[in-house]
Amino acid sequence: MTARPVSGPAAIPSWTVGEITAQRIDEVALPPATGAWLLPGATPYAVAEQDWLCPDFADDQGALRIDSHSFAVTVGGRRILVDTGIGNGKKRADPAWRDLDTDYLQRLTAAGFSPDSVDLVILTHLHTDHVGWNTRLVEGSWVPTFPVARYLTARTEREFWAGYPMDEARAQVFRDSVIPVEEAGLLDLVDVPGGGVEIVPGLRLVPTPGHTPGHLAVELTSRGRTALITGDCIHHPIQLSRPAIGACVDIDPERSEATRREVLGSLAGTDTLLLGTHFAPPTAGRVVTHQGAYRLVPVPADPR
Ligand SMILES: [Zn+2]
């Protein structure tokens, strides 16, 4: 497998939303096989129909580029991390997630987010590639990486998985990446009404169910500017042109598509910056209508 290089700690991409900044903390570029598995409707033919995807979001063979990263968001002086990637040293069946050894924590620290300075960790949902750095291995035990942070997810999300008949692989994710945070008393379950809920001035959790029942997107608002961090309600920009393309792991595919159409319809033609949780660089953009659906007009990170 060929790994694409990711940027070094000296070049952490950042976007400004009024007085809020959102930095992208790279973890790893996932292999082409991940895209083909995750979004089976995104065939090379479907990719080729959308020439705007190449070369940023797909290669010239029609393989999707899909990345794992977090957003480190500074809101009113608070350090807030949105999703925590795959994590190092986790035992996973999929080779793309298994036993990683990345410099994610060094990047996060270089961005001004040393682990003991993070105030809040928002988990858009409880899948393996969003909870990984919740914990790290210390002397043989998985312990919270962010010891003074509150970790937040939707109550609906936690309760869904509590009642879900997990296979061993998923149970392992909860044992090493979710339960240690709960046992440390650091996990808060948030009741998220249909219209969303503001948890910090300028930061709102937006229910975007379908991929998982309690899935959240994260809306940032400051001084008349707005951004939306997708989580996994949109995995890849091809879903702007083809909102019917779903992920193989969507819990409720119809709901997932309806949510995607709703989000895209609300963003189209607006100034809202879309920050994609799995979007390859340039990662961010604005949604515009295109051939009966939508496309992304990339917005590069701020010049340094
Ligand atoms: Zn994901």
Side-chain angles (χ1 to χ4, degrees), residues 9 30 46 94 143 210 222 241 268 289 292 300:
L30 296 167
D94 187 326
V143 302
S222 171
S241 292
T289 54

Side-chain angles (χ1 to χ4, degrees), residues 37-107:
W37 161 77
L38 183 68
L39 299 170
T43 61
Y45 178 74
V47 173
E49 283 184 328
Q50 306 296 330
D51 56 3
W52 60 276
L53 292 172
C54 192
D56 292 332
F57 305 119
D59 69 19
D60 55 11
Q61 304 299 304
L64 303 181
R65 301 190 194 280
I66 295 185
D67 285 5
S68 175
H69 49 244
S70 297
F71 290 103
V73 182
T74 310
V75 184
R78 287 190 178 87
R79 290 180 180 82
I80 301 171
L81 192 60
V82 180
D83 284 333
T84 65
I86 298 162
N88 273 3
K90 302 275 160 125
K91 303 303 171 204
R92 301 288 182 256
D94 187 326
W97 322 126
R98 183 193 305 148
D99 211 14
L100 295 190
D101 179 16
T102 72
D103 57 1
Y104 173 91
L105 273 195
Q106 287 91 316
R107 287 173 199 283

Side-chain angles (χ1 to χ4, degrees), residues 38 97 125 127 129-130 211 232 235 277-278:
L38 183 68
W97 322 126
H125 62 298
H127 272 163
D129 55 321
H130 296 260
H211 180 60
D232 282 0
H235 281 89
T277 292
H278 286 298

Side-chain angles (χ1 to χ4, degrees), residues 164-172:
Y164 189 84
M166 291 190 202
D167 60 13
E168 173 53 27
R170 200 181 295 278
Q172 175 67 31

Side-chain angles (χ1 to χ4, degrees), residues 248-263:
C248 66
V249 288
D250 285 345
I251 295 289
D252 182 342
E254 283 180 24
R255 191 84 199 268
S256 179
E257 180 183 341
T259 290
R260 205 155 36 248
R261 289 185 185 280
E262 201 175 306
V263 168

